Amino acid sequence: MSNEDLDAPSGRSGHLPGERGGHPSSWEVVIGMEVHVQPRTRTKMFCGCAVGQLGDPPNSNVCEICTGMPGVLPVINKAAVEACLKTALALNCEIPRHTKFDRKNYMYPDLPKGYQISQYDLPMSHDGVLELDGRKVRIRRVHLEEDTGKLVHAGDKLHMAKESFVDLNRAGIPLMEIVSEPDLRSADEARDYAVALRTLLRTIGASEAEMEKGQLRAEPNISIRRIGTEELGVKTELKNINSFRALHRAIQFEVARQVEVVESGGTVVQETRGWSEAEQRTFSQRSKEFAEDYRYFPEPDLPPLELDPKWIEALRIALPEMPGVRRSRLISEYGLPAADAGLITADVMLANLFEAAVKAGAQARPAANWVIGEVAPSGKLPSAEVLADVVKMVSGGSITRDQGREVLTESLSSGRAPAEIVAERGFAQDSDEASVKVIVEAVMVANPRAVEDYRAGKKQALGALMADVKKRAPQANPKVANSLLQKLLG
Amino acid sequence: MRHVALLARLGLEPGDEEFYAEQLSGILAHIDRLQQVDTDDIPPTAQVVEIVNQLREDEPRPGLSQYEVLANAPVAYDGYFRVPSIQEEA
């Protein structure tokens, strides 16, 4: 529900290295994305340990399997496989008949087994596409693997740590890895891609996909090349990005850094770089000369999967309407402006609320305005009936918009019906022409200057008069007051 | 030899290198012999057990307590395993 992180600045901000003499315009940016997503499951990938909450005591959701004790056997979580297949289908991927898991070997304290169970040559799916504002971003593969434990570093800066503390609660939590082809060309596109993925994942119920909670982790691979050339430049991979805004900033920084390196006669080194939110810069984390010898081999402890086409077809049929399709439908079916339809379908809960409120009798356009203007920023979802009641009362003129907002807030916190709150607070708006006229006349007497100005052609003087009406009689229907004023002044 | 040892986090004593290098060469020679077997008509086989689709329902089960899981740790601190810093020099 939190959409506040979507409105990242699209222009450059902060002090970027490339601004000092670089010429970013002669360079083309090439970005591929690796996105790790935690599917919505109750248990881990290969054992029955609960997927805990942030803030659980360290090493409290663990067992012999996810801590890599000798002699244990993993068993595949069916819900994780389903979530991965649904995601693959929603991304128009091909799903093979046969798939298996492999061991990716490396030594790191966050990986108690000494290997990560992942998928290598026979992933769960491949060759899909995600449409992004009419552009097609090719998806190379979507596969399933397990998460590593969490390392907490002593010292206040990640790259200055002297010792590390290991929490294995996260070790073994399912992860889907969604890999795109290098089809993205700017920080904006990369961010839009990640946002579109999140919307899609939430729509199909495959993941909560909250970046702040680490349920969606985007790792852009970035390189630059001279405009007009085809050959790909040396890429760097960025990690440690935990919001859409950080993703955008990190890419902007990294592009500018690469441009500066190349234009000052250097070469970009292939490496993994971390994003420091505090310093707003990337720093070298792990040079590729060290690792990257994973010695993959088929996981002997897990039998392969033979994916039954009937199962795949059943999953495909059960998929809900995709956000892009729903957006077009909201435009054609309810006459919503494209921008509004886009904002509403960016969150499946908002889209559901909007349609249910319309079904409950609210008019479409006002309902859309309320969903975008009031519900989305508040981060709290009213029931469709409550929203419909408020929208109906406001558009019918019996309460003002300000009063409607108050009623909505009150109803959300107390759970009481809007009509009850309106009655109790005496909010009912006065639309009776005779009684509003009394107020309007009083306002005209009290503001002779504004009346004169208006009659002399300064139409904006009407605003001052309306403000006084609102001050003296908040319950007066502003539309009625406005037309009365104009009539009496004219 | 040193690369393989590094990947497996094996500390080699002086003299170990030649000792293991000889053993490893023997193993590689054996693999070379296996490579000579004609496998043209045999599909790649990752599993010899003919079991597929062993899936588990998504039901939580109790695991180990924090006390139990840290019982074998060389050093534990505040519920965590404590390890030397693994950050490479930046």
Side-chain angles (χ1 to χ4, degrees):
Chain A
M1 275 290 298
S2 71
N3 281 331
E4 65 211 292
D5 52 350
L6 297 187
D7 56 354
S10 53
R12 293 164 135 235
S13 43
H15 192 72
L16 301 169
E19 286 168 353
R20 298 192 295 267
H23 305 283
S25 56
S26 60
W27 296 95
E28 183 178 43
V29 181
V30 178
I31 304 168
M33 294 275 275
E34 277 176 37
V35 178
H36 284 92
V37 177
Q38 181 188 330
R40 194 205 294 255
T41 63
R42 299 173 66 202
T43 68
K44 292 189 177 180
M45 188 62 232
F46 300 114
C47 61
C49 286
V51 169
Q53 307 285 319
L54 282 174
D56 282 349
N59 296 301
S60 59
N61 300 312
V62 291
C63 72
E64 294 85 345
I65 294 174
C66 55
T67 54
M69 304 282 177
V72 296
L73 283 177
V75 189
I76 302 166
N77 182 343
K78 187 180 177 188
V81 173
E82 276 201 5
C84 185
L85 291 172
K86 278 160 70 175
T87 304
L89 287 167
L91 290 169
N92 309 293
C93 287
E94 287 175 40
I95 295 177
R97 184 72 201 248
H98 181 83
T99 178
K100 70 171 169 70
F101 288 90
D102 300 274
R103 286 190 184 181
K104 178 179 180 179
N105 299 279
Y106 64 96
M107 295 289 186
Y108 220 60
D110 61 5
L111 198 68
K113 297 194 295 289
Y115 58 86
Q116 178 191 31
I117 305 180
S118 180
Q119 298 198 284
Y120 186 52
D121 55 339
L122 295 172
M124 200 84 61
S125 68
H126 56 89
D127 292 308
V129 64
L130 177 66
E131 284 217 21
L132 203 60
D133 293 327
R135 275 203 50 203
K136 287 182 196 301
V137 179
R138 291 168 298 155
I139 306 293
R140 185 178 298 168
R141 59 193 278 164
V142 182
H143 76 241
L144 209 48
E145 59 186 34
E146 59 177 338
D147 208 344
T148 62
K150 204 177 219 164
L151 290 174
V152 181
H153 303 284
D156 42 11
K157 281 183 190 162
L158 186 62
H159 44 301
M160 302 265 289
K162 290 278 182 283
E163 53 186 9
S164 303
F165 300 90
V166 188
D167 172 11
L168 297 178
N169 281 346
R170 204 181 64 185
I173 285 182
L175 278 186
M176 305 187 275
E177 181 172 325
I178 304 168
V179 185
S180 88
E181 296 292 343
D183 288 350
L184 300 159
R185 291 291 173 270
S186 66
D188 282 7
E189 282 193 10
R191 181 198 54 215
D192 292 350
Y193 169 82
V195 170
L197 261 189
R198 178 179 82 158
T199 304
L200 180 126
L201 289 160
R202 292 167 70 134
T203 299
I204 64 176
S207 173
E208 304 285 336
E210 292 272 15
M211 247 181 147
E212 292 78 2
K213 292 184 186 163
Q215 294 164 336
L216 187 152
R217 284 170 247 163
E219 290 162 11
N221 283 285
I222 302 165
S223 62
I224 55 168
R225 61 183 172 198
R226 290 256 175 223
I227 284 177
T229 56
E230 283 298 312
E231 200 186 339
L232 289 171
V234 175
K235 68 181 178 184
T236 56
E237 181 178 348
L238 301 190
K239 285 187 191 286
N240 213 30
I241 292 168
N242 59 10
S243 70
F244 292 111
R245 180 172 291 145
L247 174 66
H248 195 261
R249 300 288 294 268
I251 293 174
Q252 282 186 320
F253 179 92
E254 183 57 19
V255 168
R257 188 192 69 86
Q258 291 189 9
V259 168
E260 191 171 79
V261 165
V262 175
E263 292 197 342
S264 61
T267 49
V268 175
V269 181
Q270 185 174 346
E271 63 182 350
T272 301
R273 297 180 67 85
W275 167 248
S276 165
E277 186 65 36
E279 298 169 51
Q280 297 282 303
R281 67 181 189 94
T282 65
F283 60 91
S284 179
Q285 260 191 333
R286 203 186 332 156
S287 154
K288 292 279 176 182
E289 64 188 295
F290 275 102
E292 308 306 293
D293 193 349
Y294 293 132
R295 294 151 294 144
Y296 280 98
F297 63 83
E299 168 59 65
D301 290 344
L302 288 171
L305 297 175
E306 294 292 337
L307 301 171
D308 183 351
K310 271 184 266 171
W311 185 29
I312 306 300
E313 203 41 43
L315 290 173
R316 189 197 304 275
I317 288 164
L319 281 180
E321 190 175 28
M322 290 302 127
V325 177
R326 192 171 199 180
R327 179 167 172 264
S328 312
R329 189 171 58 75
L330 293 192
I331 296 167
S332 62
E333 196 173 322
Y334 300 99
L336 295 188
D340 289 4
L343 287 170
I344 290 175
T345 50
D347 188 319
V348 66
M349 305 290 278
L350 292 182
N352 290 346
L353 174 65
F354 165 74
E355 291 209 81
V358 172
K359 213 174 217 170
Q363 279 179 287
R365 290 289 282 269
N369 286 337
W370 275 80
V371 166
I372 295 164
E374 307 297 338
V375 177
S378 80
K380 290 183 199 135
L381 275 186
S383 75
E385 289 70 29
V386 165
L387 181 64
D389 283 354
V390 172
V391 172
K392 278 188 280 186
M393 284 190 277
V394 175
S395 16
S398 64
I399 57 173
T400 65
R401 188 170 175 115
D402 286 346
Q403 289 170 336
R405 195 178 292 127
E406 253 185 271
V407 171
L408 187 64
T409 311
E410 165 71 23
S411 176
L412 273 167
S413 62
S414 67
R416 288 160 64 213
E420 204 180 305
I421 299 165
V422 167
E424 184 192 276
R425 301 219 177 166
F427 270 170
Q429 188 169 263
D430 191 354
S431 302
D432 178 56
E433 213 164 299
S435 72
V436 175
K437 193 174 173 193
V438 174
I439 295 149
V440 167
E441 282 171 348
V443 165
M444 286 171 63
V445 171
N447 298 277
R449 198 51 202 278
V451 171
E452 236 172 81
D453 285 352
Y454 182 89
R455 286 183 173 145
K458 283 191 185 167
K459 299 297 174 196
Q460 65 268 35
L462 192 65
L465 293 167
M466 277 303 295
D468 201 28
V469 169
K470 201 174 170 187
K471 198 167 135 199
R472 285 163 189 257
Q475 80 283 2
N477 184 328
K479 269 189 206 148
V480 175
N482 193 295
S483 70
L484 272 172
L485 260 178
Q486 293 199 45
K487 203 161 85 187
L488 295 172
L489 288 166
Chain B
M1 191 65 227
R2 255 177 257 119
H3 179 64
V4 173
L6 176 72
L7 287 174
R9 298 295 187 274
L10 292 176
L12 294 184
E13 301 287 323
D16 280 356
E17 244 171 77
E18 298 80 56
F19 178 70
Y20 287 118
E22 200 174 312
Q23 287 194 355
L24 204 57
S25 302
I27 293 167
L28 290 176
H30 181 64
I31 302 285
D32 277 343
R33 272 182 69 192
L34 287 177
Q35 298 278 30
Q36 292 162 18
V37 178
D38 178 10
T39 56
D40 282 356
D41 297 327
I42 302 168
T45 310
Q47 283 276 355
V48 286
V49 207
E50 291 191 6
I51 302 172
V52 293
N53 299 342
Q54 291 298 301
L55 298 171
R56 168 178 68 78
E57 291 302 321
D58 190 25
E59 295 292 339
R61 283 178 19 182
L64 295 170
S65 68
Q66 191 192 64
Y67 175 78
E68 287 170 311
V69 78
L70 294 173
N72 282 333
V75 194
Y77 176 77
D78 207 15
Y80 293 91
F81 297 89
R82 196 169 85 180
V83 297
S85 172
I86 37 66
Q87 293 291 313
E88 312 285 357
E89 288 301 311

